[in-house]
Amino acid sequence: MIEEGSKRSKNMVEKRQLFMEMRAQNFDVIRLSTYRTACKLRFVQKRCNLHLVDVWNMIEAFRDNGLNALDHGAEINVSRLETILSSICYQLNKRLPTTHQINVEQSIGLLLNFMVATYDSESHGKLTVFSMKAMLSTMCGGKIVDKLRYIFSQISDSSGVMMFPKFDQFLREVLKLPTAVFEGPSFGYTEHSVRTCFPQQKIVLNTFLDALMADPPPQCLVWLPLMHRLANVENVFHPVECSYCRSESMMGFRYRCQQCHGYQLCQSCFWRGHANGPHSNQHQMKEHSSWKSPAKKLSHAISKSLGCVPIGEPPHPVFPEQAERPPELPHAVPPNPAADDMNDTMLVTPGSVLESPSRLDEEHRLIARYAARLAVEAGNATQQCPPTDLGFNFDANKQQRQLIAELENKNREILQEIQRLRLEHEQASQPTPEKAQQNPTLLTELRLLRHRKDELERRMSALQESRRELMVQLEGLMRLLKSQSGGSPHSSPSHGAGCSMPMPIRSTSAGSTPTHTPQDCLAGVGGDVLEAFAQGIPRNLRNDLLVAADSITNTMSSLVKELHSVDDVEEETNMRNGGDRGTLRVQKH
């Protein structure tokens, strides 16, 4: 009895310890409830060392403790919960270096008491499996998209469609976290929370991610993405002066006024509502999570004006719509949605072209395959989408441009190598009087070699003629696609936000600048194909694929020429070596 009493007293002390430390941080001076809630939960996350446990390690811990075999409504007592938390913390210490080991006993005690205070307010001594999964998968480290994917797997049916009662249960559990840090009036659960998040009837994974990762997200969960952004900017340095506290540098977020020129606040002053001079708390503020030098800003502005910076990139990858089962497996790796697109672009390799006996036929089949795909895509886009929605995936487009650039570089290298081999061939094939007098048979072989060279040049001319015919086909296909799509330019939507309180506007950074096609690689290409890259702004993915097909065709022709040149020279060299005649060396790379 004495031991139980002392243990209960120790638990009460540990329970108060976390909240006392949180109060000492003075988070309540933050005037915006969203930032106040995110800061408090981030403090709890770091104090319990949950930020060091990735979401995939947390899923593996669920599986190792047999939670994936239990029903969501099943209850577990506090002693088993302590065992599960112990396994999570001890496994974490095994992954950490010896210089960064955590205090396992302290972490277990703080986390256990916080979970019991949050989900067992009536002191039953039990928690449901779903409550524990919802809390730990939300408060652990890792990317928010991976957390939301796992949560969706727990609340969806076998066909991959979200069940609204399950999502309602998830909201009940996850919104107990703000309540536990005394922010329940701002982010407490209500009966209308589900419909404010999803007014639709059928919710699949991509719809779920779109809604919860939108800008802004649903009001009841607006603190969740902010908590992840806080973790990303904790060590970001801004070499500028705060206009209120006059600190010469800032850490974390930086806020720039949209009305007062050059007026910037550090996150501490903005969160506390400080203002001076002509600036007012009612002014709109823009939130910055990184620092860009004036040179980088100018370069970004020029790139954006030239259309080199993609606008409106999706906040998350697009996942397949089949049923997504719970990833309760160890070492789970998120899928790469762009892998299938890349496989389709690598249907023909240089090695397969060199070994094929009918190279021209393969070129025509390749162009026909691209034409068929583009025609089907154009028809589907016309039937399913209005002309203003003919957008494309910027990630796939960037990968296509990178592929084109790689093929062009390879093409230039092959052309240089062929030119070098041709010069060596011409020098070696020049007859000299001394050689002719010493060995008349050598003169005959040189004549045959020159004749063979003329035949190769005629075949090269035939290949160029075939290439021109392919270009005519591509021009016709380009006109067909232009007539089907209507040629309407894409316009990026612009939006503004106004509110009674000066909520900050989050700044988004654009992706990397796409690679431009060198003009010398398009020599001889006329009409709309040249225009697709000459303007510096790729019009759409179909044009990029057409130019990619042309580049692949050029590479095939160059490889064919190199093969025949090298084979013929080697054949003649072997003949001369067999008769004890001179040696003709050809270097191959």
Side-chain angles (χ1 to χ4, degrees), residues 288-433:
H288 294 271
S289 57
S290 62
W291 164 256
K292 290 183 180 179
S293 62
K296 288 185 178 180
K297 290 181 181 178
L298 178 61
S299 174
H300 180 78
I302 294 175
S303 300
K304 189 174 181 179
S305 63
L306 295 177
C308 302
V309 178
I311 300 174
E313 291 187 357
H316 63 85
V318 179
F319 296 97
E321 294 187 359
Q322 64 264 24
E324 177 124 340
R325 298 313 306 149
E328 301 273 12
L329 298 176
H331 313 297
V333 179
N336 183 5
D340 295 336
D341 297 337
M342 291 301 296
N343 291 337
D344 291 339
T345 62
M346 300 298 292
L347 294 173
V348 180
T349 61
S352 64
V353 176
L354 294 176
E355 298 174 359
S356 175
S358 55
R359 291 167 296 277
L360 293 177
D361 293 339
E362 287 186 3
E363 292 179 6
H364 284 286
R365 284 197 297 269
L366 180 63
I367 297 298
R369 183 180 300 175
Y370 274 110
R373 287 186 58 189
L374 293 175
V376 171
E377 291 177 1
N380 293 339
T382 304
Q383 294 175 3
Q384 298 178 2
C385 301
T388 57
D389 291 334
L390 293 176
F392 55 88
N393 189 295
F394 285 95
D395 291 335
N397 193 11
K398 182 168 65 177
Q399 292 170 357
Q400 295 294 337
R401 287 194 292 270
Q402 292 176 353
L403 176 62
I404 292 170
E406 292 174 1
L407 290 174
E408 288 170 350
N409 293 332
K410 185 65 177 177
N411 185 30
R412 284 193 293 270
E413 295 175 1
I414 293 174
L415 290 176
Q416 293 174 359
E417 182 66 18
I418 291 176
Q419 183 66 22
R420 186 183 63 80
L421 292 175
R422 181 179 298 172
L423 293 175
E424 293 182 2
H425 181 198
E426 291 176 354
Q427 293 174 0
S429 63
Q430 292 295 331
T432 59

Side-chain angles (χ1 to χ4, degrees), residues 19-66:
F19 292 102
M20 290 174 62
E21 292 179 1
M22 185 177 65
R23 288 184 183 277
Q25 299 295 319
N26 203 18
F27 291 122
D28 290 331
V29 300
I30 301 176
R31 63 191 182 97
L32 297 176
S33 60
T34 303
Y35 287 89
R36 192 168 58 244
T37 304
C39 288
K40 289 181 178 180
L41 291 177
R42 175 64 178 168
F43 172 80
V44 173
Q45 182 190 47
K46 294 181 66 176
R47 190 65 181 86
C48 298
N49 291 309
L50 280 176
H51 67 297
L52 301 176
V53 184
D54 190 80
V55 61
W56 301 106
N57 298 125
M58 189 65 72
I59 295 172
E60 185 176 355
F62 293 161
R63 182 193 63 83
D64 292 340
N65 287 277

Side-chain angles (χ1 to χ4, degrees), residues 4 73 77 80 90 108 123 127 170 243 272 276 290 294 306 319 368 370 401 418 435 461 463 502:
E4 292 180 0
N77 54 31
R80 185 176 180 186
Y90 280 109
I108 295 172
S123 301
L127 277 75
F170 166 73
S243 300
R272 287 157 175 78
N276 59 346
S290 62
L306 295 177
F319 296 97
Y370 274 110
R401 287 194 292 270
I418 291 176
K435 290 182 181 179
S461 300
L463 288 174

Side-chain angles (χ1 to χ4, degrees), residues 94 102 120-121 190 223 260 279 310 432 455 536:
K94 291 181 180 179
I102 65 171
D120 188 26
S121 58
T190 63
W223 51 269
C260 305
H279 178 70
T432 59
E455 291 181 356

